[in-house]
Amino acid sequence: MGVFNKKFMKKAIGLSIINVAQGGGPFGAVIVKNGKIIAEGVNKVTKKNDPTAHAEITAIRDASKKLKTFDLKGCEIYTSCEPCPMCLSAIYWANISKIYFANTKKDAAKIGFRDDHIYRELAAALHKRKIPTKQALHEEALKAFELWEYKEDKVSY
């Protein structure tokens, strides 16, 4: 695993600045493997009308496509801001080995981004969340999990 490299962080920050100038959100990210940038991403939420098109997510999608794998173990992500809950989850799902960030979630909150709100919601009991959440048809849904559990040729992730 590499060590922090200022040029990669500067690249992520530069992408965030350019993206604002081009009408996107103030976020940029790069994914590095073996000392080389393999993917870049910028926030495209409003450009694509896609609430999941955050810089880290677009970079992960690009890296996975280029490397032809969903497992990005051995990669590092440099992002212009501390990942939101969705992006942090995606980073974990992708098995990215290290995260470097510049701005904090508090910096993001100061300019109107809701990361702190979502972190609080995730920690809240289901009955206390702002979006009503109720479990339903649990027994029926377990069938898919049972099939998966005993599937001989499954690819675990």
Side-chain angles (χ1 to χ4, degrees), residues 30 36 51 54-55 57 77 83 87 92 97 99 115 130 136 140 142:
V30 296
K36 293 183 182 173
H54 291 201
I57 301 291
I77 190 164
C87 293
Y92 273 92
S97 300
I99 303 166
D115 301 23
K130 302 237 184 294
E140 289 180 37
L142 282 174

Side-chain angles (χ1 to χ4, degrees), residues 111-139:
I111 60 168
F113 289 92
R114 303 176 297 167
D115 301 23
D116 281 340
H117 161 72
I118 297 169
Y119 276 110
R120 285 191 304 276
E121 283 289 295
L122 289 170
L126 291 179
H127 68 281
K128 292 190 175 197
R129 291 186 181 169
K130 302 237 184 294
I131 298 175
T133 305
K134 182 177 177 12
Q135 185 178 20
L137 300 178
H138 181 233
E139 292 299 319

Side-chain angles (χ1 to χ4, degrees), residues 3-4 14 16 38 46 128 141 148 150:
V3 295
F4 175 76
S16 72
I38 58 161
T46 58
K128 292 190 175 197
W148 178 259
Y150 298 107

Side-chain angles (χ1 to χ4, degrees), residues 22-153:
Q22 294 176 344
F27 305 98
V30 296
I31 296 179
V32 175
K33 186 167 188 173
N34 299 324
K36 293 183 182 173
I37 294 175
I38 58 161
E40 297 179 357
V42 294
N43 182 284
K44 297 179 181 181
V45 170
T46 58
K47 284 183 176 181
K48 292 194 171 236
N49 291 318
D50 178 354
T52 69
H54 291 201
E56 297 90 338
I57 301 291
T58 60
I60 288 168
R61 289 174 180 161
D62 188 36
S64 295
K65 184 177 179 181
K66 286 179 178 170
L67 296 176
K68 297 179 171 64
T69 183
F70 56 84
D71 189 345
L72 301 180
K73 188 173 186 172
C75 292
E76 302 170 336
I77 190 164
Y78 287 76
T79 181
S80 64
C81 188
E82 184 174 359
C84 75
M86 176 183 68
C87 293
L88 184 60
S89 296
I91 289 165
Y92 273 92
W93 278 115
N95 292 318
I96 291 175
S97 300
K98 198 169 240 184
I99 303 166
Y100 298 104
F101 66 89
N103 291 320
T104 68
K105 61 186 174 187
K106 290 185 189 229
D107 296 327
K110 285 180 188 174
I111 60 168
F113 289 92
R114 303 176 297 167
D115 301 23
D116 281 340
H117 161 72
I118 297 169
Y119 276 110
R120 285 191 304 276
E121 283 289 295
L122 289 170
L126 291 179
H127 68 281
K128 292 190 175 197
R129 291 186 181 169
K130 302 237 184 294
I131 298 175
T133 305
K134 182 177 177 12
Q135 185 178 20
L137 300 178
H138 181 233
E139 292 299 319
E140 289 180 37
L142 282 174
K143 178 69 176 171
F145 280 20
E146 291 166 4
L147 290 169
W148 178 259
E149 183 178 11
Y150 298 107
K151 185 174 175 60
E152 298 278 334
D153 61 343

